[in-house]
Structure formats: structure tokens, C-alpha cells
Amino acid sequence: AGASLAIRARVLSYHAHPMREGEGAHRYIEDGLVVVRDGVIESVGEAPALLAGLDPALEVADHRPLLLMAGFIDPHLHMPQTQVIGSYGTQLMEWLARYTFPEESRYGDPAVSDEAARFLLAELLRNGTTTASAFCTSHPQSAESLFAEGERLGMRLVAGKVMMDRNAPPALLDTPERGFDESNRLIERWHGRGRLAFAISPRFAPTSSEAQLEAAGQLAADHPDLHIQTHLSENHGEIAFVRELFPWAEDYTAVYERYGLVRPGALFGHCIHLSERERGSLAERGASAICCPTSNLFLGSGLFDRDAALAAGLRTGLATDIGGGTSYSLLATAAEAYKVLALRDQKLTGHAALYMITAGNAEALGWGDRIGQVAPGFEADLVLLDPGATPAMRRRMERANSLEEELFALVTMGDDRAVAATFVAGRLAHRR
Ligand code: GUN
Ligand code: FE
């Protein structure tokens, strides 16, 4: 038997629920015990009952009254944008040209990308995030750096070398052939190694020629199990540009459909200004929409329509989109999602928010059977949360009269300060 671990805490876990799509269901154990063996959760239950049958040599860490949850999952962020966050005064297309593309141009240098990969994953763990789906740059080196650091930390990670061959500075452009070959080499080297997965990552339709989208489609056809990640319908200027570049397409989603890029495991960032046809098509083909509220507010992109996604049966994830997004914290991100939806007179309960950033995002990644839950057989990626982490939070929690109230206030006020500890595959990876 390998390393073992037993944590006593208030255990809170979410799982998909057929009658409450997008919201899930929860299991809460006030005095819970979670036993981990070899990086996997072995048992979960009431502490008094479980303790009776436990090997007395196994040390139990008592963290009550902290909450133990599945590690958070961030299904859309950009590894090379940690130094772009908070770039002033522009919307998407100008933001890319003025700030983001010049920054990403530096990432062919292994010193730059190694350092950024180390920073990014350490910062994610500090925020309770144990799995992410990350865009790198068009340089294969950037993906090498992120995969190597992910492997060192033992994290479950999706990453992709970005494919882009037009409408960006020459230093960032590949070609249809190069993007294809470089992706294939990274797949051979990293995909399925430990907990790592490669994502086919055409940046978005405006920066890929039709030949490159065809090459991305070929990769997708050659590797039916791979994730695909890109951007869709984020900004009105972007959508108008797509209409110009692909006059034959009836809408933005139709461009990706044409090249076989809309399928299960395909993650479409933003999805703000979709038509009903587009939502229906994404849903029918099993793809996921990834809502990125801090980015959408910061770049003035618009307000995600969660009720429309739910009505269409379109699976929705919730992500930071660092560095268009402004916070690494999925708690802070969920709080901004609540505010975006408030502007649409829509609701996001505390339970629904916590479902989204754990089991919901796991479902979006197609990994709902291995991460995102505190349940036997699941990988032991865990986060210990302190709802009273700050004076303001402690004061608020004094007046919380139910679990629901406490959790909603935790989502509203929480960030990295509420993350007391993070475990990756049963190993302590961060402690505040
Ligand atoms: N669309 C294409 N690239 C990007 C990016 O880096 N960030 C955001 N927010 N949208 C994009
Ligand atoms: Fe993005």
C-alpha cells in the first residue's frame, strides 16, 4: 500500500443530477472523514462510524470546522497571460493586438515559459485549483514547459500549443503544416503521460486560415479522444470579423462545425452572443460552453446567458480566462458569474456555483468519472476551505443560518484567502 491520508472535516461534494441539469446535487457530512490511498479516495463517510474500522496506525488530521471539497477545475485559461492581467482600456481585438500578442511572442524562450509555467501552477494551487485546461502559445516550447511542470506536480492538466497562422504578428504565426506537425509531436510526447492530456487548440477562427482549420480537423479526426479548445462568440467586433473571413458560414459556430471541431470534449470559451441555432448545435454535438465572467466584464464583451444555455441543454463550464480574466480564484469567478447573471435577472445559487467549479467543470472536460467529487474511486484532488478566513468573512458567517447561506456568502466573499490547503492526488500541495 502507498501513502495514506485521513482527513476529518465538513465534507461537501457535488455530482451531476439528471433532474437538475447545470446545478447538480450535493452530499454534505457535518463530521466527515475522507481516507485516501495511493492518490485515490478510498472511503468517505461519517467520521465516528468510519474511524471504528480504521487502521489505528493511520493518523487522522482533524480540520473541523473547515470544509473539504473536490479541488477546483478551471476549464479555460492562458498560461502565457499571467503578465497581461489588468491591461488597460481596450476590448478584445485591440487587447489582443496591443497587449497579448506582443507578450505571447516571448514564449519561444524556454527560460520565459518555464518560469511562467511554474508561477501559473503554483498560483492555481494557492487558489485551490487542481486541474486546468490551458492555452499555451504557438511555440511548442510553451506547452513543453507547462506539461513538464504539471508532471512534476502530479496535476491532472489539459494543455495545447495554440494554432494560429494569420492576423497576428509574424513571431506568433505557424503554418497549417507546422501547427499540425508540432501538435502531433506534443501528442506523442505528452498525451496520456501520467495525468496529462493534450488539447487541439486553434486559437479562434480569426487567426486560422481555412487550411489550418482543416489541419485542426484532421488532428481531431486522427485523435477522437482528444480535447479541443478554442474561443467562440465573445465580442461583436470579433463576430463581424468572422463573418468577413468566412462569408460562406451561416454563423460563427458553423465555421467550427465545418471542420469537425464541435464534438464531445470540445470546450468553447465565452459563447456570449450565440443564436439559438448555435446553442442547439453545440448541445446536440456534445460540446461545452465555457463562461468566463471576469474576462467578459473586464473586456466589456457581454453577459453570458445561462438560462438560454440550460434551455438548449448546452453543458456550461465556468473558468477564469486568465489573463483576459482578472482573478485566479474560481470562488471570485463564481461570484462574478452571479453578478453577470443578476444583470440578466438570472440566478446562481451557492450550491450551483460550487457544483460548476467542481463536478460541473469535470463533466465539461469529460472527466466526471475521475475528478470533481469527494467520493470513493475519485482522484484525491482536494481543497480545504475556511469560510471564516478573513475578519469580514468571519463576521458574515456569524449570521449564516443555514449551509446554503454560508456557502453563498463563501462564494461571494471568497478567494485565495479562503483556501487553507490544497491536495493533489493525496499529496499536500499548498498550505496557507
Ligand atoms: N480570443 C482569441 N484569443 C483570445 C485570448 O487570448 N483571450 C480572450 N479572452 N479571447 C480570445
Ligand atoms: Fe481565452
Side-chain angles (χ1 to χ4, degrees):
S4 298
L5 175 76
I7 303 172
R8 188 170 186 172
R10 300 163 65 206
V11 175
L12 176 63
S13 180
Y14 294 85
H15 53 273
H17 189 286
M19 301 306 287
R20 287 197 294 273
E21 214 174 312
E23 225 172 283
H26 73 274
R27 180 188 189 196
Y28 174 67
I29 313 172
E30 179 81 27
D31 182 5
L33 191 75
V34 174
V35 181
V36 173
R37 204 175 298 279
D38 295 329
V40 175
I41 297 170
E42 187 177 75
S43 47
V44 179
E46 302 280 350
L50 263 183
L51 281 167
L54 213 59
D55 175 2
L58 183 61
E59 212 173 299
V60 177
D62 191 346
H63 289 293
R64 292 173 296 170
L66 300 188
L67 277 167
L68 185 67
M69 291 188 62
F72 301 147
I73 297 167
D74 190 344
H76 182 118
L77 59 77
H78 298 260
M79 169 271 208
Q81 295 180 12
T82 57
Q83 295 182 307
V84 177
I85 302 169
S87 292
Y88 178 77
T90 56
Q91 287 209 345
L92 176 64
M93 300 308 278
E94 195 189 338
W95 175 84
L96 287 170
R98 190 192 294 182
Y99 299 114
T100 304
F101 289 159
E103 174 66 8
E104 291 194 8
S105 299
R106 303 166 55 229
Y107 278 72
D109 179 349
V112 171
S113 61
D114 283 353
E115 189 272 338
R118 277 196 299 274
F119 174 83
L120 175 72
L121 296 186
E123 185 62 16
L124 292 185
L125 293 171
R126 235 175 48 72
N127 280 275
T129 299
T130 49
T131 282
S133 186
F135 291 80
C136 300
T137 66
S138 49
H139 314 97
Q141 175 60 53
S142 63
E144 287 283 340
S145 297
L146 190 58
F147 278 130
E149 182 64 3
E151 179 170 68
R152 192 182 73 79
L153 294 165
M155 288 174 74
R156 180 167 284 284
L157 210 61
V158 183
K161 164 220 138 56
V162 163
M163 301 170 80
M164 51 195 294
D165 69 347
R166 64 168 164 174
N167 296 318
L172 277 183
L173 299 182
D174 56 11
T175 65
E177 297 72 27
R178 252 185 54 212
F180 183 83
D181 293 342
E182 289 171 350
S183 295
N184 262 325
R185 270 198 295 279
L186 287 162
I187 291 166
E188 280 166 30
R189 205 163 130 66
W190 292 103
H191 182 69
R193 178 160 149 185
R195 306 180 77 197
L196 306 175
F198 183 84
I200 301 162
S201 308
R203 180 175 208 115
F204 66 157
T207 47
S208 283
S209 64
E210 298 193 21
Q212 177 158 77
L213 290 171
E214 206 167 307
Q218 187 61 51
L219 281 172
D222 292 346
H223 306 277
D225 58 320
L226 248 56
H227 290 97
I228 298 168
Q229 58 182 353
T230 187
H231 297 82
L232 172 62
S233 203
E234 175 177 5
N235 166 286
H236 290 299
E238 170 207 16
I239 294 164
F241 195 27
V242 169
R243 203 175 297 125
E244 239 174 79
L245 292 170
F246 304 89
W248 49 262
E250 72 171 301
D251 51 42
Y252 195 160
T253 302
V255 175
Y256 295 132
E257 280 169 35
R258 158 82 180 263
Y259 297 102
L261 298 170
V262 185
R263 69 177 189 189
L267 311 169
F268 291 93
H270 306 293
C271 293
I272 298 172
H273 309 289
L274 295 179
S275 67
E276 281 315 297
R277 191 210 76 80
E278 291 177 285
R279 283 192 193 91
S281 165
L282 293 169
E284 186 188 316
R285 292 160 202 266
S288 298
I290 308 297
C291 169
C292 307
T294 72
S295 171
N296 298 160
L297 293 172
F298 181 76
L299 293 173
S301 301
L303 308 173
F304 186 83
D305 191 338
R306 175 171 145 86
D307 284 359
L310 284 171
L314 173 54
R315 188 186 293 118
T316 300
L318 183 57
T320 65
D321 192 31
I322 291 296
T326 54
S327 172
Y328 290 90
S329 168
L330 279 164
L331 292 173
T333 300
E336 295 307 286
Y338 176 88
K339 296 174 195 170
V340 160
L341 295 172
L343 285 166
R344 281 196 177 272
D345 200 23
Q346 297 180 12
K347 295 282 178 279
L348 186 69
T349 65
H351 278 313
L354 293 171
Y355 165 74
M356 286 187 85
I357 65 177
T358 56
N361 282 340
E363 289 284 331
L365 288 174
W367 286 338
D369 59 345
R370 60 193 76 176
I371 55 172
Q373 295 188 40
V374 188
F378 279 73
E379 296 169 7
D381 293 342
L382 301 164
V383 60
L384 260 177
L385 296 172
D386 182 0
T390 67
M393 292 175 77
R394 202 151 46 242
R395 179 167 175 79
R396 172 64 184 91
M397 296 311 164
E398 283 169 9
R399 296 276 286 163
N401 294 310
S402 65
L403 179 65
E404 279 70 20
E405 202 180 325
E406 180 189 15
L407 294 178
F408 183 68
L410 169 62
V411 167
T412 303
M413 301 179 81
D415 54 28
D416 56 311
R417 295 168 299 178
V419 175
T422 308
F423 299 84
V424 172
R427 191 182 54 77
L428 181 68
H430 162 71
R431 177 162 213 159
R432 190 170 139 80

